[in-house]
Structures are given as C-alpha cells and as structure tokens.
Amino acid sequence: ADVRAAARAGATDAAAVLRARKGHRPVPDEVWRRLRTSADDPDYTHGLYDRLGPAGTARLIAAAGKDHREDVRISLGVASHHMTLDERWLRAMLDEALHQGVRDEAVELLSQAGLTHRTRVALGHLGLTEMAETAGSGTGHPAPPHEAMLTPAADDPHVAVELYSRHPETLHRALADGPRSEALTRLVIQATTAHDADPAAVRANAERLAAFAAGRSTETPA
C-alpha cells in the first residue's frame, strides 16, 4: 500500500525465510507468492534483501530451486538498484552459496539479473580474479563459473571500459594465464573499441598490457 508497508513486508518475508532454513523447513508458500507478485517492487525487494544479507540471499537461492529462481532473479536485479551490492557483498553471498551447494546456480542468476552498473563491475572483477587464481588448475570444466561472472561486463561497453580501467592488472593476469574465454575476449574488445571510451585510459592500459606481455616473453622458465 505504501513504501513503509512494502519494505516491512519484504523484511517479514526475509525473516520467515531465515527461520525456515535454520529449522530445516520449507519456505512458506505465502512467502513465495508474495515474492512473485512483488519481485519488481523496489521497496519490497530492498526490505527483503537488506534483511536477508548476502548469506541469507544464498539460502534463498538454495531454497528457490527451479520453481522460484526466476522470481529471485528479477527481485535481486531490482534490489541492486536500490541498495549496495558491492564486491564484498557478492563474495560473501557466493561463499555461502558454495556452502549451500548452489554456487553455479547463484552465478548464473547474477549474470542474468539485470544488475546495476556498479554491481556488474564488481561481479566482473570477481570473475577476473577467480579466472587468474584458477589458471592451470586442469579442472577441465567446460563452463567455469567465472565465465558467467564476466558476461554482464562483456556485453556492456560502459561496464567493460570501467572494469578495464579500474582493474588492469587483474585483467592482464587473466589474459596471460587464464583459460580460453569468449567472455574475456568480448570484454577486452568492448573496452578497447567502445566509441565513448576515454582514449587516454585505453591507451595507458594498452601500453600496460604490451609491457606485461613483453615481460612474460623474456622470463626464464623455471
């Protein structure tokens, strides 16, 4: 009915989710019904995810399964425009999702959630970091989670430019040591050819990348 009531309803439903998960019980059906009808309500979603926090959000994703994951996806995307889902928040959520056994599902949901620009940059940096850290692990996973984490940045030139400018070292490590990645290739192309990219920033990053590659080529193998 109003902003306060919607936010209170979201917080109430979040508390119900947390109680249900703590007691190893299903989330009540009325919570899922309310989430479905209010997934695009900024006040409801703010109240819901503010109360859930990152760990509670991971538990909501675990409880949603296939039947309710679309509602979680929509609502989380809306919430990202009205609260801070930064790198610290995302990392905590994904760590708990790993504990819940739904990390891949959580990454896929984030990659398709219509997140705000700032959250896409944060998610992309986490993906680059993971790609660099897991280089040479030999897992053979055909679609590693970090690929989906890069997709929102790879498909948005504004996000790609900012990610490339803010985290060039991480991107260079991913390029040098990471697995072949279509998303990473698209990200670099977007960042270096975007018509509204800052020429000075693109040029500086290109010079860093060239120096980085040249330094690696002259290294003596261990």
Side-chain angles (χ1 to χ4, degrees):
D2 55 50
V3 170
R4 185 174 298 178
R8 187 165 55 244
T12 299
D13 284 349
V17 170
L18 295 174
R19 285 195 302 270
R21 298 297 288 173
K22 184 176 181 180
H24 304 286
R25 299 187 304 272
V27 173
D29 289 341
E30 59 266 25
V31 171
W32 294 124
R33 284 196 295 269
R34 220 166 3 250
L35 177 59
R36 175 158 295 181
T37 59
S38 304
D40 59 353
D41 184 324
D43 304 307
Y44 173 87
T45 57
H46 185 283
L48 177 71
Y49 290 104
D50 187 55
R51 176 68 178 83
L52 282 173
T57 300
R59 293 168 194 152
L60 178 67
I61 294 171
K66 294 182 179 179
D67 293 339
H68 306 289
R69 196 164 292 154
E70 177 68 6
D71 301 320
V72 176
R73 181 189 67 80
I74 294 171
S75 61
L76 186 58
V78 172
S80 75
H81 292 264
H82 301 277
M83 58 186 293
T84 301
L85 305 185
D86 56 13
E87 196 166 322
R88 181 178 180 181
W89 193 99
L90 291 172
R91 185 181 290 108
M93 193 275 274
L94 291 173
D95 285 347
E96 178 61 22
L98 179 63
H99 179 70
Q100 296 286 327
V102 292
R103 189 176 190 276
D104 285 7
E105 291 83 349
V107 168
E108 181 181 4
L109 186 149
L110 286 170
S111 72
Q112 301 172 5
L115 301 170
T116 188
H117 175 97
R118 178 173 55 181
T119 306
R120 292 183 185 190
V121 172
L123 183 65
H125 185 229
L126 285 178
L128 288 173
T129 302
E130 181 177 308
M131 180 178 287
E133 289 176 349
T134 59
S137 62
T139 59
H141 198 305
H146 51 64
E147 182 84 2
M149 295 164 79
L150 296 181
T151 300
D155 294 338
D156 186 328
H158 299 283
V159 177
V161 167
E162 182 169 346
L163 183 60
Y164 190 63
S165 298
R166 287 180 58 187
H167 304 289
E169 293 80 8
T170 308
L171 188 142
H172 297 164
R173 287 199 302 273
L175 279 171
D177 300 324
R180 295 175 63 87
S181 166
E182 292 183 6
L184 179 58
T185 301
R186 293 203 314 275
L187 191 158
V188 174
I189 292 172
Q190 289 274 32
T192 54
T193 62
H195 63 84
D196 56 348
D198 175 22
V202 171
R203 185 165 54 252
N205 282 316
E207 290 171 354
R208 287 194 193 99
L209 181 56
F212 181 85
R216 287 189 58 82
S217 67
T218 58
E219 289 177 357
T220 303

